[in-house]
Amino acid sequence: MTKDDRRKRCKEVNKDMISGLPNVIIGHILSFLPTKDALCTCILSKSWRELWRSLSNFDFDDRTWKSKIIFGNFMDRFCYLHNSRENSITKFRLRVNGSYPSSRMSAWISAAIKDNLEELKLWIYTADHVPLPRRIFSCEKLVILDLGYRIDIDLLGVGVHFPCLKVLHLQELPMLDDHASIEKLLAGSPVLEELKIEHEDCESRNVLRICSSSLKRLIIRFPFVAYDEKDPGCRELTLDTPNLELLKLTDLVSEKLNMLQIPYSLVEAALSVAYKHVFAIQVEDYIDMAVQLLRPIMTIVKILRMCDTTMRTLSDAVHKKLPCVGNLPDFQNLTRLEIEASGNDRWMVLHEILKCSPKLEVFNLYKDSTEKTRRWRNPEFVPRCLRSSLKVIEYVGFESELGEIEMAEYFIKNALVLEKMTIEYGWKMIHDFKERVAERLTECRRGSKACRIVFSP
């Protein structure tokens, strides 16, 4: 290749092909970048300087801007330009931490709500509450709606029509204490597939009913109850979701838990329920109700995670010898089990679960570091899963207490097809003691010749 040929080839390779594209295509490409990067890109060429106005995907976060004043002024300009335009925005995400007047933020949001809007995410961390424009409830193309914190939603006299909405996330909103509003949103979302509700401080005493035949993924997190002696009330959660595939339930608030239809499609569940002393219901009645809720779920799912609150509830049922834990059915589909537990009573529950899980392949144990682990007691019979299916064990938070060492030895000796046991040390472990424990477990007789024992800091 001659020198002229090389120059010609380099010129062809370095040719600016993007600038020759129509502005519509360039704007579409820039829509895939973070909004701030797209804005910076627009200054590379004079012909690109106004391209940002035609972007359809906006993601604003005032934490990424050097000045709240600059961010506010830019958003005012954004509002001015888009108020006069229709059908230009498909995705709009706004995260605000600074102090801006409520009316100003409401104007920014209103400018983004167009008929073509498909995704809206608003997380407002300010002192002022921002009213959600009512026009949003008639956006027929909306697919994702994610609202968090200081967003006020007023559905009084408003019809909700979300024929395409598939994902709805509601986090720490004032309207979450108004259960009728939640149910109205669900009723207006006939194809909803994912619902996430998180509320740290529940005040409502009403019955919350989650009713949806299209729902596949349900995440509810009610970790704390605001108790009022003048209004003790009774909270109740009812699930009418027959086609669920994923359920993550943290409910330390409701005194009554109901599942109207068993979701036989359920694949994965994570459960945290517990009795609170402020409940009007008797502890035995609550435990019986909780176990009756858990039993069908455990027989269906392939993946199950139970927090320490749930394990404590089950252990109380065993300790009190309540009939609800007698004759547990086989958990025929369960292949992965994750639990948070420690203490003798929880070990007894673990024995029962392992005994009823003939196809278990993966077992993860997360130790509750606030409690001491007592002596391990071998089950009366070696569970079937240890003899035929259990391949992976992971112990997180191992602190080398005698009960923990005895439990690890039991699994190493009796798990006949075990391929790997991972022990992740807790933060209290002393280095010299780690070595002694590792030596003891490594020299332990193994039921499976293929078993590897891995120690992790």
Side-chain angles (χ1 to χ4, degrees), residues 50-81:
E50 299 303 319
L51 267 178
W52 73 272
R53 300 186 183 188
S54 62
L55 297 180
S56 61
N57 183 355
F58 291 94
D59 189 348
F60 295 112
D61 186 341
D62 68 348
R63 298 173 305 172
T64 65
W65 292 63
K66 291 182 179 180
S67 166
K68 305 294 184 184
I69 295 176
I70 295 175
F71 175 81
N73 291 338
F74 176 84
M75 291 303 299
D76 290 339
R77 187 182 179 199
F78 167 88
C79 176
Y80 173 77
L81 289 171

Side-chain angles (χ1 to χ4, degrees), residues 109-312:
I109 297 170
S110 296
I113 298 178
K114 308 294 183 181
D115 290 339
N116 273 6
L117 189 64
E118 297 176 3
E119 179 179 340
L120 178 65
K121 179 176 180 178
L122 304 173
W123 281 25
I124 309 297
Y125 302 91
T126 59
D128 290 339
H129 288 254
V130 180
L132 186 67
R134 292 191 169 194
R135 184 181 177 184
I136 188 64
F137 300 111
S138 59
C139 287
E140 297 188 357
K141 295 184 179 181
L142 195 66
V143 177
I144 300 174
L145 180 60
D146 187 342
L147 305 174
Y149 302 94
R150 296 291 184 168
I151 298 289
D152 277 342
I153 301 176
D154 182 8
L155 293 179
L156 185 62
V158 178
V160 178
H161 185 53
F162 289 141
C164 296
L165 190 67
K166 293 188 176 182
V167 178
L168 176 61
H169 291 183
L170 307 171
Q171 183 165 330
E172 302 302 327
L173 299 175
M175 62 88 66
L176 292 179
D177 282 317
D178 179 11
H179 293 168
S181 294
I182 299 176
E183 294 174 16
K184 190 173 184 178
L185 282 174
L186 295 179
S189 309
V191 298
L192 189 67
E193 295 182 359
E194 178 174 310
L195 174 63
K196 182 178 180 180
I197 302 176
E198 295 191 39
H199 199 19
E200 288 283 347
D201 192 357
C202 294
E203 296 180 357
S204 172
R205 310 289 166 183
N206 300 325
V207 175
L208 173 59
R209 182 187 177 100
I210 306 295
C211 180
S212 173
S213 59
S214 62
L215 204 61
K216 295 181 180 180
R217 298 175 296 277
L218 176 60
I219 303 167
I220 294 179
R221 188 170 178 271
F222 298 152
F224 180 75
V225 54
Y227 180 70
D228 185 354
E229 292 182 356
K230 297 180 181 179
D231 181 20
C234 178
R235 294 178 181 82
E236 183 175 345
L237 175 65
T238 297
L239 304 182
D240 189 2
T241 51
N243 295 306
L244 270 191
E245 296 175 2
L246 168 70
L247 173 62
K248 293 184 178 181
L249 176 63
T250 298
D251 191 341
L252 309 184
V253 168
S254 300
E255 299 178 37
K256 294 183 179 180
L257 301 166
N258 306 304
M259 182 174 286
L260 298 187
Q261 300 185 60
I262 299 176
Y264 290 103
S265 54
L266 195 63
V267 175
E268 181 177 352
L271 306 168
S272 178
V273 296
Y275 178 82
K276 296 295 182 181
H277 72 279
V278 297
F279 288 173
I281 188 173
Q282 296 296 317
V283 60
E284 290 81 5
D285 294 334
Y286 177 89
I287 293 173
D288 181 76
M289 172 207 62
V291 174
Q292 297 300 345
L293 174 74
L294 296 174
R295 283 173 68 108
I297 293 176
M298 295 167 72
T299 61
I300 296 169
V301 296
K302 292 183 178 180
I303 303 170
L304 176 64
R305 181 184 178 96
M306 292 193 291
C307 296
D308 189 59
T309 54
T310 305
M311 292 296 291
R312 188 178 292 115

